[in-house]
Each structure stands twice: as structure tokens, then as C-alpha cells.
């Protein structure tokens, strides 16, 4: 019995940092995915381990089921989702420590911890093999950890009793609303293990796809009415998100009046972006007009981010390089390096895109092309046993 | 009888562009000057011409006094200052046309026109020789035309009956308040000939020196309480000021709410800059603190100017180059090229300044060091006839 799930990454289209100070922000899914395959061994496999393979970082960890049973003498599966207790976190930490995961990447151990907790919370002590691979660069602000948690939760739930699914369906299929809510909640709990205090934005975008406006803790799902294509440039410059957020707060304390207006301006920009994306598109001309407005709003937002002090030389290089081709760019996420977004208008020639990407890659950056605002998490059953249209065999 | 006058250039410390939309702005004089020497020939010179030499552009024009009398049959000197009538402007244009001034530089002909009008308005048809040279790059937003008009008006008035001056004084001397007002008014009329609709800011800063806050047409003279040193980088990129101003207005029409907050933020920044400059300095630590605040406000202002769309790749290059040395830079004036300001803290080592300048000059830029907020227009008599302490001989 095997399921494959994929969950998209995210970008912040407008409002990062300012959202901490009460402005609206807009996030969107991108059609770059993290994939999780989850398989229960057949009796013929004679496999009594729980294993996780992270292909992109060439890491494989596994525990004999007996070792997990020993570590969790009183393990009970839990529905509905709830937070991981400190007690259980400590028990899991022991199991994770046994695997000698490279210390250089703290995120890896946290990801393995989230996996162990999510899987055992739903399925208890059961042999299984999870394989993860991703199109998202890790730790670059594109929501790779949320996509991991969402795809993992989706795969885990698709093989559980809590989700009623159609095994006869070929290819990717979507969950119903209730199942999506369940996936999102579990993923959020996974994100808590990885990030401590996640905003819930990344997992929500990855779960539901499309776009989300968020302000003062409230999330509103937006229905986009226009296709949007972005060039995402990963500067590969590492950031300290906490320090960047703190820097904006300190600047706000030093210059409260000026910064308040900056945040108000960002709020207007986010609202404009949301309105443009949701307004119906009548023809090509209208699309071009909307794209021009979005590009201008992105340029304005980038100036305001520079005003907050969270841009970076590498981001400015992307801004200037793309400006040569009359394309607008803003940083996305925490800034101080990380990724930049460049709007690629519908009518832009492919040869221009190739040139821009070649220029950026010459600077040592990684370029990714992404459609914006597509589907959220999806899953697909592989090697379905012949049970009839609505059959079910999860053991 | 000869007088020499010098008038400083200016920078905009905060608020350019936003000032058009109601925000406050702060301008300051810089200790880079335009010099005008004005000499009435002695009978022994046997010189019956009116001539103007612009040393920096290697231009010399001159008219026989008889030709000027012919061109202005009813010439009357005028006090107080008033605008040049269209009729007189046409007559002057004929005289200027006779000089075959290179057409490539429209500003030159306008400067010559302003000279002819200012001189003849005060002194009528009289032989004289004016020699002009300047430390200010022309047409780069440092107020070179205003400094020309102010220094010219000062020299013309210093040799007229309208100004009572102390011939016994050695070296540079300052005018009294009434004379300054007269110089400023005449210079403003000169600026009108050169620029059409000047704001009056450049000539006011050049006349009075120090700093000026301006908002909605009101000018307030500020008394600075701290020495400020700036590196001025002339990118040598030419701009179209009118197009840049129009661009900001168009962006404001497209995104009125977001831009209104941007202008409000700039207003706060200008007010903060003015407050910091005027607050008393107690010790070195306080100076450093003030400089850090000013640097941060300049960085913020630059972000907001980028948000308005008036920055330029060349300006961003200056920003990034100076940022390597932890120095803050903003564009000054119209943007779209032109000049950038970099704050040089009091305690910054000279070797660092040398390195930054070398880096910027490698980019093809011109670097100028300037003290900010010094004296306005000054003058000095040369070769004074022995008339006793309060003597006067102007013919």
C-alpha cells in the first residue's frame, strides 16, 4: 500500500515584515513541490522498520519497530491533531539522537523529529518507509519545511482511517475540505516542532494552494483570476530571520512616526495586490495592465523593504539585473539575502527570460521558474490492490 | 574697482520629490562655491565693452557698450528687483544670439542672458568684466545655476549704491540682512530666466547658507548645531528632472493611498533630520549618536525614493559601494542619476574615506568632499583705492 503526496512551496507577494506590525500581506503557492511517498511494507517484504529517506540531502534514517515500541511504551494514536507534549518530544529526541544526523544542519534533525511524531501519532508503531524529495531549495524562504510537513501529513492521513478517498482515481487527486483542514492542522503541529512559533501561513498556503491574505493573525483565502508567472532567484545568501525581524522593530522604536507610515503604505500595497489578483480578467490587454500594476507595486514594496533595512546587496543585484530587461523584482520572505521574485509578464518572450536567467546565474544565483497560485496539496495512490471502486484496505 | 563674490552650492538632505506632494524637505549649503569677479575698468584700461568669461566651460562673450546702448535705447536701471519683462528678454536674446554660443549647452545661453539682464538692471550700460569659475559640477543637482546667480547678484550689488559695505575689511565678508534679501531676490529673478519656474530653494540656501526646511512653499531657516561632512558622488548620469517629477505624480495617481503614506513617512524623516541638526551637541558621544540617526534616516529616505521610482542603477551602485564600508547613502535632488550623498561620520578614518572614493572613482564617478551647512554668499573687495575707512568710490 503506497501513497504519494505533493505539497507546494510559497512566496510572499507583498507585505513581509510589515505584517508583524499590523499590515496586510499576501502569500501564494508556487508550482514547485515537496513530494512524500509513504509505503506500508507487504508481509512478503519482511520489513519491520520505520524509515525516512530525505533524497535531497542524502540522508536515510530507520528504526526497528521494536526499538520504537521500547521508546514509547504507552504510545497511543491521536485524533484530532494536538500539539506534541514536551514529554513525547524528549522521547523522540532520544530516537533521533541515535541516528547521528550531521549537526551542521539543525533543520534535518527537527524534520526527522516531526516525521517520527506525525507518523506515530496517526499510525502508532507500524513499519513504513517514507521517501522525500523536493523541488524547493531548503531554508531559502520558499516554505520548504511547511511543504514537507503538509506533504507528510497528507501521505500519512491518506493511508489512515480518518480520510475517505477514492482509490479508483488515477493520478493526482485533491482532498475534501474536512481532510484539508486535518492535513493543515497536523502540518502546523509539525511546523511547530521545526520552527517553534510558526505563523501558520506557510502550511496554510501549502495545504490550500492559491493565495492567502493575512493581517493581524486572520487568514483569508483568495481566489486568483489571473495566471501569474514568476522568476524566483535564490541568492543562496543565508539569513538570520529573527535578527532581521528584530532590526525592523528596533528601527520602528527609533523612528516610530516614519515607520508607521511605511507600514501603512505596505498595507495599501498588499490590499491593492489582492484586489488586482481577484478582479476578473476580460482580455489580454487587461492582463497586461494588471501585470504592469503588480510590477509597479512590487517595485514600491521593494523600496519600502529597503526603507525597513532588510534588503541586501545580493537582492539589489537581482533588482538591477532584472531592471535592465524592464522587469520588476522584490525580495520575498525575510530578506537579508534569501530569494527574490521577478514578475514575468505573459507576453514576455522566452528568449528574454533565458537571457535574464543566464545573467543571474553568472552572479552565482539559482533561478527557478514558477507558476503562482496553483493547487495546494494533492495525493495519488500507487499500486492499488484490486478492491473494487470504493474498496479500502489499509492494513 | 573690483569685487569677488562666492556663493555655495546646495544639497537636499531629505524630502526631495515628496516636497512636491506636501512633505517637508531639508536643504543645506555645501562648502563648494561658484566665484564671480566683477571689475569696472579704469580709464587707463580704455575698455568700452561688457564681457563675461565662464572659465569652466571656456566661454567668453563680450559686447561693445555702444552695441548694448543700441539694443536698449530706453534702458533704465531698476531698484527694487523685479521680473524681467518679455520685451526685454527678447532684446537680450538678440544680443546673446550674436555670440554664437554652442547650442549643445542650452544652459550656457540662459546663463549669459541672466548675466546681461542682472548687470544692466543694476548698472545700466557700463563697461565691466565678469569672470566666473566654480567648484560645482554643472547641472548635477548641486545648485550650480543658483550659486552662479547669487554670486553674480552679490558682485553686482557690492559694486552698486544699494549696498553699504566696509571697504577696509580684508578677505571674505558677509552682507547685512537687508543686502542678503536684495541679493536673494535678484538671484531668484536670474534663476527664473535660467529655469522658468524655480522653487526659490536653491538661491535661498546659496544666499543664506546653513540649512533650510521647506514645506508647502514656506521656507524656514535652520541653525545647525553640529558639523556635518558628506561625500558627494556625481554619477555623471544626466537626468530629466521634469520627467522624474511627472513620473512620481503619475505613480501617485495610480496608487494614491500607498503613495500618500510614503509622502507622510518622508515628512516625518525631514522633520526628524531638522530636529537632530538643530538640537544642541553636548559631547562626542552625542555627535556619534546623531550621526547614526541621520545615517539611518538617509537610508530610509533612499528606500522611499526607490519606492517613488526615482532611483537609478548608478545611485544604487553608490549605495552598495558605500554600504561595504558601513556608510549610508541617498540620492540628492531629482534622482534618476545625478548626485548621491554619503554621510561621513566625524570619527571615520581618513584612510577609509580614501578607499571609498577610490572605489567610486573606479566606477567612473566624480567624488567631492563637502562640509554641510556653512556660510552663504560672501564677497571681498580687491585692489581697493585708498579712500579711508568708510570711503566709497563706485564710479
Amino acid at each position: 500500500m503506497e501513497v504519494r503526496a505533493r505539497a507546494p512551496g510559497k512566496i510572499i507577494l507583498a507585505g513581509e515584515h510589515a505584517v508583524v506590525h499590523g499590515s496586510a500581506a499576501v502569500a501564494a503557492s508556487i508550482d514547485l513541490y515537496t513530494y512524500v511517498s509513504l509505503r506500508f511494507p507487504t508481509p512478503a517484504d519482511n520489513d519491520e522498520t520505520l524509515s525516512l529517506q530525505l533524497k535531497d540531502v542524502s540522508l536515510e534514517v530507520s528504526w526497528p519497530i521494536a526499538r520504537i515500541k521500547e521508546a514509547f511504551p504507552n504510545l497511543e494514536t491521536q485524533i484530532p491533531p494536538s500539539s506534541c507534549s514536551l514529554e513525547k518530544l524528549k522521547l523522540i529526541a532520544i530516537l533521533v539522537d541515535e541516528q547521528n544526523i550531521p549537526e551542521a544542519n539543525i533543520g534535518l534533525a527537527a524534520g526527522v523529529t516531526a516525521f517520527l511524531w506525525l507518523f506515530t501519532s496517526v499510525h502508532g508503531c507500524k513499519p513504513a518507509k517514507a521517501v522525500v524529495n523536493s523541488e524547493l531549495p531548503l531554508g531559502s524562504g520558499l516554505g520548504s519545511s511547511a511543504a514537507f510537513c503538509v506533504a507528510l501529513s497528507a501521505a500519512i492521513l491518506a493511508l489512515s482511517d480518518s480520510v475517505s478517498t477514492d482509490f479508483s482515481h488515477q493520478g493526482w487527486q485533491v482532498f475534501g475540505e474536512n481532510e484539508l483542514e486535518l492535513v493543515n492542522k497536523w502540518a502546523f503541529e509539525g511546523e511547530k516542532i521545526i520552527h517553534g512559533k510558526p505563523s501558520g501561513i506557510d502550511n496554510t498556503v501549502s495545504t490550500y494552494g492559491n493565495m492567502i491574505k493575512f493581517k493581524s493573525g486572520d487568514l483569508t483565502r483568495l481566489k486568483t483570476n489571473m495566471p501569474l508567472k514568476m522568476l524566483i532567484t535564490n541568492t543562496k545568501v543565508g539569513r538570520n530571520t529573527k535578527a532581521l525581524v528584530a532590526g525592523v522593530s528596533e528601527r520602528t522604536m527609533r523612528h516610530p512616526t516614519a515607520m508607521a507610515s511605511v507600514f501603512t503604505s505596505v498595507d495599501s500595497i498588499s490590499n491593492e495586490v489582492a484586489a488586482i489578483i481577484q478582479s476578473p480578467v476580460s482580455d489580454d490587454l487587461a492582463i497586461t495592465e494588471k501585470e504592469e500594476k503588480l510590477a509597479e507595486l512590487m517595485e514600491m514594496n521593494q523600496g519600502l523593504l529597503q526603507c525597513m533595512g532588510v534588503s541586501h546587496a545580493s537582492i539589489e543585484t537581482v533588482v538591477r539585473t532584472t531592471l535592465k530587461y524592464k522587469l520588476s523584482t522584490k525580495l520575498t520572505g525575510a530578506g537579508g539575502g534569501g530569494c527574490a521574485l521577478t514578475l514575468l509578464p505573459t507576453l514576455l518572450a522566452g528568449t528574454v527570460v533565458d537571457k535574464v536567467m543566464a545573467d543571474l546565474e553568472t552572479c552565482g544565483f539559482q533561478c527557478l521558474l514558477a507558476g503562482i497560485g496553483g493547487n495546494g496539496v494533492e495525493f495519488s495512490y500507487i499500486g492499488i490492490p484490486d478492491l473494487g471502486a470504493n474498496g479500502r484496505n489499509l492494513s
Side-chain angles (χ1 to χ4, degrees), chain A:
Chain A
M1 195 61 215
E2 182 173 356
V3 72
R4 196 155 195 247
R6 69 172 191 186
K10 70 102 202 355
I11 50 164
I12 307 281
L13 267 178
E16 50 275 272
H17 282 291
V19 73
V20 179
H21 301 268
S23 305
V26 180
S29 67
I30 54 180
D31 60 358
L32 298 170
Y33 301 93
T34 293
Y35 298 84
V36 173
S37 296
L38 186 65
R39 182 174 183 270
F40 290 142
T42 61
D45 291 333
N46 196 25
D47 183 356
E48 280 298 313
T49 63
L50 176 62
S51 71
L52 171 67
Q53 186 185 358
L54 301 171
K55 285 193 156 180
D56 304 287
V57 290
S58 304
L59 180 77
E60 186 159 5
V61 291
S62 75
W63 299 264
I65 289 301
R67 172 72 192 103
I68 295 178
K69 279 186 178 153
E70 180 193 33
F72 299 114
N74 305 312
L75 185 67
E76 281 178 11
T77 59
Q78 54 188 88
I79 289 162
S82 61
S83 297
C84 183
S85 69
L86 202 62
E87 190 189 358
K88 192 165 179 187
L89 207 54
K90 279 181 190 166
L91 294 176
I92 295 175
I94 296 168
L95 288 174
V96 174
D97 275 349
E98 292 167 9
Q99 297 288 334
N100 296 317
I101 295 166
E103 276 182 30
N105 197 333
I106 300 167
L108 281 189
V112 172
T113 304
F115 163 75
L116 266 184
W117 180 67
L118 287 171
F119 183 84
T120 57
S121 294
V122 176
H123 291 290
C125 285
K126 203 169 178 178
K129 181 174 175 60
V131 178
V132 181
N133 68 301
S134 184
E135 294 158 359
L136 297 162
L138 303 180
S140 57
L142 298 181
S144 58
S145 75
F148 168 72
C149 290
V150 171
L152 189 61
S153 301
I156 288 169
L157 288 166
L159 291 187
S160 78
D161 287 330
S162 342
V163 172
S164 66
T165 44
D166 177 4
F167 286 95
S168 68
H169 192 285
Q170 294 289 318
W172 294 114
Q173 52 183 307
V174 293
F175 289 98
E177 271 300 313
N178 292 342
E179 285 84 2
L180 282 176
E181 202 179 321
L182 209 53
V183 168
N184 196 30
K185 281 185 177 165
W186 274 117
F188 183 58
E189 296 303 332
E191 277 274 87
K192 278 192 196 167
I193 291 177
I194 299 178
H195 283 303
K197 279 187 179 180
S199 66
I201 291 156
D202 288 15
N203 51 281
T204 304
V205 172
S206 186
T207 301
Y208 294 101
N210 230 303
M211 300 200 190
I212 283 173
K213 188 164 111 174
F214 47 109
K215 180 170 175 163
S216 310
D218 292 335
L219 306 188
T220 317
R221 283 160 64 187
L222 308 179
K223 178 88 195 97
T224 164
N225 272 304
M226 63 187 290
L228 261 184
K229 209 174 157 190
M230 294 272 177
L231 170 61
I232 300 174
T233 305
N234 179 12
T235 64
K236 301 183 192 165
V237 174
R239 309 133 298 142
N240 182 335
T241 302
K242 270 186 196 168
L244 287 159
V245 171
V248 176
S249 294
E250 285 158 18
R251 181 165 287 192
T252 304
M253 295 210 284
R254 283 191 294 270
H255 312 286
T257 324
M259 290 294 279
S261 298
V262 168
F263 298 139
T264 305
S265 186
V266 173
D267 187 58
S268 304
I269 288 172
S270 293
N271 288 329
E272 265 199 81
V273 166
I276 291 168
I277 283 166
Q278 289 180 102
S279 72
V281 173
S282 50
D283 51 30
D284 270 5
L285 182 65
I287 287 189
T288 301
E289 268 172 22
K290 287 168 94 174
E291 285 170 344
E292 280 171 3
K293 276 206 167 181
L294 284 175
E296 187 165 40
L297 290 165
M298 284 171 64
E299 183 188 326
M300 289 167 67
N301 199 164
Q302 173 62 25
L304 294 168
L305 286 160
Q306 196 178 318
C307 179
M308 297 176 214
V310 297
S311 193
H312 184 268
S314 61
I315 295 289
E316 302 296 327
T317 301
V318 183
V319 170
R320 284 181 47 187
T321 306
T322 55
L323 196 60
K324 277 191 230 160
Y325 299 91
K326 299 193 193 304
L327 299 173
S328 293
T329 295
K330 70 177 276 289
L331 67 84
T332 184
C339 286
L341 292 182
T342 306
L343 182 67
L344 299 177
T346 315
L347 300 177
L348 186 70
T351 48
V352 175
V353 178
D354 292 344
K355 275 188 197 167
V356 179
M357 287 174 67
D359 278 10
L360 290 167
E361 280 161 2
T362 306
C363 301
F365 303 144
Q366 176 191 17
C367 290
L368 304 161
L369 289 172
I372 303 299
N375 283 354
V377 66
E378 292 173 310
F379 67 101
S380 132
Y381 289 108
I382 296 162
I384 304 156
D386 185 10
L387 295 166
N390 293 306
R392 168 161 279 251
N393 180 358
L394 297 175
S395 56

